[in-house]
Amino acid sequence: MRRTRRAGRWLALLALPLALAFSAPGLAVPPDDAVPPTRSSSGEQNGVGLMRIVVADKSGIDRLNELGVDLAEYVKPVDNGIEVHAILSPEESQALRDQGFDVQDAISDQSDYAENVAERSATMRALAAVAASTDTLTVLRSEWFSSLDNQLFLNIEVKSSAGTDSTTVLTASWDSGPGTEIGSGGTATMSRFTDAGQYMYHRFSNPVAIDAAPSKATITSSKGGSVTVDVAKWLGSPRKVTGEHPYVSDFVDHYMDPTEITARFTGLAAEFPKLTQLIDMPYQTNGYRRQAQAQFGTASASIVYVSSKAYGSAGGNDLTVSLVNPGAANAPLTVGVAGTNVTVSLATNGAGTITTTAAQVVAAVNGNADAAKLLTASTYRGNAGAGVVAAAGVTRLTDNLKAPASVSRDPFQMKVLRIGKHRDGSKVGVFLYCQEHAREWVTPLVCVESAERLLRNYAKDPNTRKIVDDLDIFILPVVNPDGAHYSMYDYNMQRRNMTNYCPASSADPANRNAWGVDINRNFSVGSVFDGYNGASATSCTSDTYAGPSELSEPEARNEVWLVDTFPNIKLSMNTHSYGGYFMWPPGAYKTAGREVLPRVDQGTEAYFWTSSDYILSRVQEYRGTAIWPGRTGPVTDVLYSAAGNSADEHWYNRGIIGWDFEVGADIYNPTTKRFTAVGFQPPFAEGHEEAMEFANGNIAILEVARAYATDKIQPTSTVQIVKQEPGATTFTFSTSEPANVYYTTDGSRPTYDSPKLALAGMREGNQTITVNGSTTVNWFSIDIAGNVESNYKPDGNGKNYNKQKITVQ
């Protein structure tokens, strides 16, 4: 069997007792002289693909998790069970088939990645070319007209020579008639118009309502261009417009790495200082860096690999190692160091034949004080190293990282863009965060587009102004910057960060795509360390490796620091991909008895569902994408157990109402009448559409948050009789809005210590209550914002609670 980046996982499987493992005739242990080709040392991905697997039920998913299979966050019921998706090499696919799993066809493979990289490279070259000089503006149209009872409107269309760069922003200013100053009539940001992924021109999404007919307009560009043009009267019939103001959108035109995105947010903070604050997170990440390595030998028993003590970027890439045949009989094994060059002179016998084993080379290198300052040597994956090594010429160590020099190899400074007119903690806070998983390239675009819309539309759009004025918004566009850089430049299916906790037995160069911690499994609630399912605490090469302990990673600690430092944060959205889901806590369960984290209370669950109706309607507005009801609900209900995820962390520890988007809903093909999954990194034309529609969803979440923040309306509630029969009456409560109901049936005054209306069960609605004799029910309701029905004081002495006698026949 060929060892891939997850070879340790499969070899561990072989060691399982038969009571725990299926028969695996296809998983034979390779002989010592059979060293598998590495997936990554050559830069090749060697056939890794996103594969379909059909299991009978969720126990099959749990089994795949236990085996450490790299599952995507995608679950779909099918006729014969449940379809899930996994990142697998051909050998891993066959191994699972040998285990009895139904591994089907590929959704995407490395050719898709190559096309994405080529497309991105071409776009970046084009952007670099247009950024080199001031852009030229060509006015296509400039006119005013009257419509809707003589209301005046302005229409301007301008093409920029730098328009292919989504950061190019055009602003139009106009006079209020002949002889007046430019700007006296108004100023507005123009919207960038694209069609089929191509830049067309800038325009107003809707004509701008004006008070006086202008004679001239000046258009200026963020790239330096400027033009002044006459404004003519448009001849023709008045046209009805939908909307009273322009709303600008579409600010992303290529997949972006974390360095680009952070620069983008830094620029927004500088451009809008009155509305923003750029927050440096306190914990820097490990950084886009690795120790430099080299490997010698071909057979397992004779392999030696070396790793630099310093990171490759800090001198490790300058080291060389050579294994030298001394060319003499009875030569001793020696190690010499000259500057950054380590030379191992191998021992020979009386016939001049090399006799040094891999284990002896490792001991000699690690035992040499000068060499040990520079590097460490190891045998291959815990092998005893009894095989004789072969001479090898001068070999330079390398960290194998391929990102351009523009990507720093230092620890990364994560930044949050805080948006709001009042950033003093007095307003309800909302935390929007993206890309906890590195390979989900669309997700940071959702955060970028959301930030741009809020700031670019503030001056003209009343709805945006209300959001920014009444909320305190925190946007973290990339939670996992190191892994995201690695995904974009080295291994596109990287899920985790780049911190390597593996011992020498798993830290050879061939395993370099298998290191890191799953940030969304590293939190402290419902974690694998507490016995919850959906992560690994023991396998450092598992794609759901939770790390050595809860909150071990700076990326996770930064999230916790933010919500602890700003306790006004009451709502959050964590954006992932793919599959088209809208979810909320609980997000984890223990396998034994499927013990789920405590479900949210009935009022909060109702709030989640009511909000989802509005938010998902806004997502659907963009291009008609409907998130299915079956993919809406608590994580454990519609996906699977995800031990130690961030939404559970924020909800159970701080009461933050948190949602999870999984962007990238399945696309329906009317010809085949089938839905097709889009994958983590769809062609950018599709990725762009996903970013636009889920940015709509983020804006809707902010509108929901504003409604929460400004809600002063008290709920009302009534008793609803469900069933009456001789000797028993069953009832529940109905509320005017999502609210919790506290009640008593013993005649006592209801308080917060009284029974609370519960949920009947998973996706079953409200609990029903049965009484066997005529009973007086006393109750009150309280909504999510804390408004109590009739202004009743549960902790006081008031009597203005609801009362009703339930009669029993």
Side-chain angles (χ1 to χ4, degrees):
M1 170 186 160
R2 186 176 99 189
R3 287 186 180 90
T4 65
R5 71 186 176 92
R6 290 193 256 327
R9 153 189 329 168
W10 299 106
L11 292 179
L13 171 61
L14 294 177
L16 292 174
L18 292 179
L20 298 178
F22 295 94
S23 173
L27 294 180
V29 178
D32 273 350
D33 62 350
V35 178
T38 64
R39 176 180 296 178
S40 55
S41 61
S42 66
E44 298 295 328
Q45 308 283 3
N46 295 339
V48 176
L50 184 59
M51 308 294 293
R52 291 183 175 87
I53 305 175
V54 174
V55 295
D57 53 34
K58 284 197 173 181
S59 66
I61 301 176
D62 293 341
R63 178 61 178 155
L64 290 169
N65 268 320
E66 290 169 5
L67 296 179
V69 174
D70 184 4
L71 291 177
E73 293 171 340
Y74 180 90
V75 174
K76 180 172 75 172
V78 293
D79 291 343
N80 55 338
I82 301 174
E83 178 181 320
V84 295
H85 298 164
I87 310 301
L88 300 172
S89 69
E91 290 77 13
E92 290 167 342
S93 296
Q94 187 57 51
L96 283 177
R97 292 187 181 104
D98 292 341
Q99 293 283 312
F101 286 97
D102 182 10
V103 181
Q104 301 186 352
D105 57 319
I107 296 166
S108 64
D109 56 25
Q110 299 306 321
S111 63
D112 304 312
Y113 166 64
E115 290 173 5
N116 273 325
V117 170
E119 179 185 33
R120 180 180 185 275
S121 296
T123 301
M124 295 301 292
R125 288 193 297 271
L127 294 181
V130 299
S133 60
T134 300
D135 60 338
T136 301
L137 304 182
T138 303
V139 178
L140 305 180
R141 305 194 69 90
S142 177
E143 61 248 332
W144 66 269
F145 61 93
S146 64
S147 182
L148 301 176
D149 299 324
N150 295 319
Q151 170 63 56
L152 302 183
F153 295 90
L154 176 66
N155 177 72
I156 298 176
E157 299 169 3
V158 181
K159 188 170 186 177
S160 164
S161 61
T164 54
D165 182 349
S166 65
T167 65
T168 302
V169 178
L170 302 191
T171 303
S173 301
W174 56 92
D175 64 21
S176 52
T180 61
E181 293 184 359
I182 294 291
S184 62
T187 299
T189 303
M190 303 183 72
S191 181
R192 185 171 167 273
F193 172 47
T194 61
D195 186 43
Q198 299 296 312
Y199 168 72
M200 305 301 287
Y201 49 85
H202 282 71
R203 64 180 184 182
F204 299 134
S205 296
N206 295 309
V208 178
I210 55 178
D211 296 324
S215 63
K216 291 185 179 296
T218 296
I219 300 90
T220 57
S221 167
S222 60
K223 301 297 185 183
S226 179
V227 63
T228 298
V229 64
D230 292 335
V231 181
K233 182 180 180 181
W234 171 247
L235 301 176
S237 302
R239 294 173 293 171
K240 184 177 181 179
V241 295
T242 57
E244 300 175 353
H245 52 79
Y247 187 86
V248 293
S249 60
D250 197 354
F251 295 100
V252 294
D253 64 359
H254 64 284
Y255 287 125
M256 290 185 282
D257 70 27
T259 298
E260 293 175 82
I261 292 169
T262 302
R264 184 81 162 262
F265 270 37
T266 302
L268 286 174
E271 186 175 356
F272 296 95
K274 294 182 179 180
L275 297 177
T276 65
Q277 174 188 353
L278 199 62
I279 301 173
D280 283 346
M281 301 294 256
Y283 304 105
Q284 291 189 335
T285 70
N286 185 66
Y288 175 75
R289 55 184 182 173
R290 285 268 170 84
Q291 271 73 28
Q293 295 183 306
Q295 184 166 304
F296 304 88
T298 56
S300 298
S302 60
I303 289 178
V304 173
Y305 78 90
V306 293
S307 302
S308 63
K309 291 289 184 68
Y311 287 106
S313 55
N317 288 336
D318 298 327
L319 302 180
T320 67
V321 173
S322 55
L323 307 182
V324 177
N325 185 338
N330 297 316
L333 172 64
T334 62
V335 176
V337 178
T340 58
N341 305 311
V342 178
T343 301
V344 180
S345 182
L346 303 172
T348 60
N349 60 18
T353 303
I354 294 173
T355 59
T356 304
T357 65
Q360 290 170 336
V361 170
V362 168
V365 170
N366 293 338
N368 181 284
D370 293 330
K373 292 177 183 177
L374 300 176
L375 47 79
T376 58
S378 305
T379 57
Y380 184 73
R381 299 190 181 179
N383 193 285
V388 174
V389 300
V394 176
T395 302
R396 184 174 296 277
L397 277 65
T398 175
D399 60 14
N400 279 306
L401 297 179
K402 301 178 180 64
S406 59
V407 174
S408 171
R409 271 59 174 175
D410 294 332
F412 195 90
Q413 177 61 64
M414 295 168 60
K415 296 178 183 290
V416 167
L417 186 64
R418 186 180 188 183
I419 299 175
K421 184 177 180 181
H422 307 284
R423 302 181 303 281
D424 55 5
S426 63
K427 300 295 183 180
V428 167
V430 185
F431 179 29
L432 306 178
Y433 57 111
C434 298
Q435 207 172 18
E436 282 184 333
H437 291 150
R439 63 194 177 197
E440 298 168 5
W441 291 9
V442 175
T443 63
L445 305 184
V446 177
C447 273
V448 170
E449 177 71 18
S450 300
E452 290 273 7
R453 289 187 188 183
L454 291 172
L455 296 172
R456 302 289 178 197
N457 290 292
Y458 180 82
K460 282 290 181 180
D461 177 33
N463 185 58
T464 301
R465 192 175 308 116
K466 290 175 183 177
I467 291 171
V468 175
D469 286 353
D470 293 338
L471 294 174
D472 196 357
I473 304 160
F474 300 81
I475 304 181
L476 176 58
V478 182
V479 175
N480 183 2
D482 301 344
H485 279 128
Y486 194 76
S487 174
M488 188 158 283
Y489 296 107
D490 299 277
Y491 174 62
N492 68 305
M493 286 300 176
Q494 178 77 7
R495 171 186 173 101
R496 296 159 287 162
N497 69 8
M498 290 179 63
T499 305
N500 180 13
Y501 288 104
C502 286
S505 59
S506 301
D508 56 275
N511 251 347
R512 70 189 184 96
N513 287 344
W515 301 325
V517 175
D518 183 342
I519 302 303
N520 205 33
R521 300 295 185 272
N522 189 235
F523 292 90
S524 68
V525 174
S527 76
V528 67
F529 304 101
D530 296 327
Y532 286 83
N533 181 265
S536 173
T538 57
S539 174
C540 66
T541 57
S542 167
D543 269 303
T544 56
Y545 177 51
S549 62
E550 295 173 349
L551 298 174
S552 62
E553 303 310 289
E555 297 91 339
R557 294 199 302 275
N558 278 333
E559 279 193 39
V560 170
W561 174 86
L562 187 76
V563 294
D564 282 345
T565 302
F566 301 98
N568 61 318
I569 294 176
K570 302 299 182 184
L571 303 97
S572 69
M573 167 51 72
N574 181 11
T575 301
H576 283 265
S577 77
Y578 60 98
Y581 292 82
F582 188 66
M583 301 177 292
W584 52 83
Y589 57 75
K590 295 179 180 179
T591 301
R594 202 177 185 275
E595 180 187 340
V596 180
L597 281 168
R599 291 186 176 273
V600 302
D601 58 36
Q602 176 275 139
T604 304
E605 180 82 351
Y607 182 77
F608 276 131
W609 278 106
T610 301
S611 300
S612 70
D613 183 70
Y614 179 76
I615 294 164
L616 297 182
S617 294
R618 292 295 305 277
V619 171
Q620 190 180 41
E621 284 175 3
Y622 182 75
R623 59 168 178 171
T625 298
I627 304 305
W628 304 344
R631 293 185 179 181
T632 302
V635 174
T636 52
D637 294 358
V638 302
L639 192 60
Y640 48 62
S641 179
N645 70 81
S646 61
D648 284 347
E649 167 79 29
H650 303 326
W651 165 252
Y652 291 100
N653 281 346
R654 298 163 190 87
I656 294 173
I657 297 170
W659 289 279
D660 296 291
F661 272 149
E662 291 280 346
V663 310
D666 290 357
I667 296 176
Y668 184 70
N669 185 323
T671 301
T672 62
K673 300 185 183 301
R674 293 183 60 183
F675 285 93
T676 302
V678 297
F680 295 113
Q681 298 146 20
F684 181 74
E686 166 62 23
H688 171 271
E689 298 299 277
E690 294 173 17
M692 293 301 106
E693 61 191 357
F694 281 91
N696 273 15
N698 265 353
I699 300 301
I701 286 166
L702 295 175
E703 291 169 339
V704 167
R706 181 179 177 273
Y708 165 90
T710 59
D711 181 11
K712 304 298 180 185
I713 300 174
Q714 298 165 5
T716 59
S717 58
T718 58
V719 164
Q720 180 180 354
I721 302 299
V722 177
K723 181 171 64 174
Q724 285 185 308
E725 54 189 3
T729 296
T730 300
F731 69 95
T732 187
F733 297 94
S734 176
T735 58
S736 60
E737 61 175 293
N740 281 308
V741 176
Y742 294 84
Y743 67 94
T744 64
T745 56
D746 60 0
S748 63
R749 180 177 177 274
T751 69
Y752 291 126
D753 293 326
S754 301
K756 182 165 64 172
L757 183 67
L759 291 166
M762 185 179 74
R763 303 169 81 85
E764 293 181 19
N766 291 348
Q767 165 196 24
T768 58
I769 304 151
T770 299
V771 292
N772 301 113
S774 295
T775 303
T776 296
V777 178
N778 300 329
W779 80 93
F780 69 92
S781 63
I782 176 173
D783 67 16
I784 302 303
N787 299 303
V788 180
E789 185 172 6
S790 302
N791 202 31
Y792 172 61
K793 306 296 184 185
D795 297 328
N797 298 312
K799 301 294 184 181
N800 58 328
Y801 47 82
N802 297 305
K803 308 176 187 67
Q804 183 170 329
K805 185 175 182 179
I806 307 297
T807 59
V808 176
Q809 298 175 2

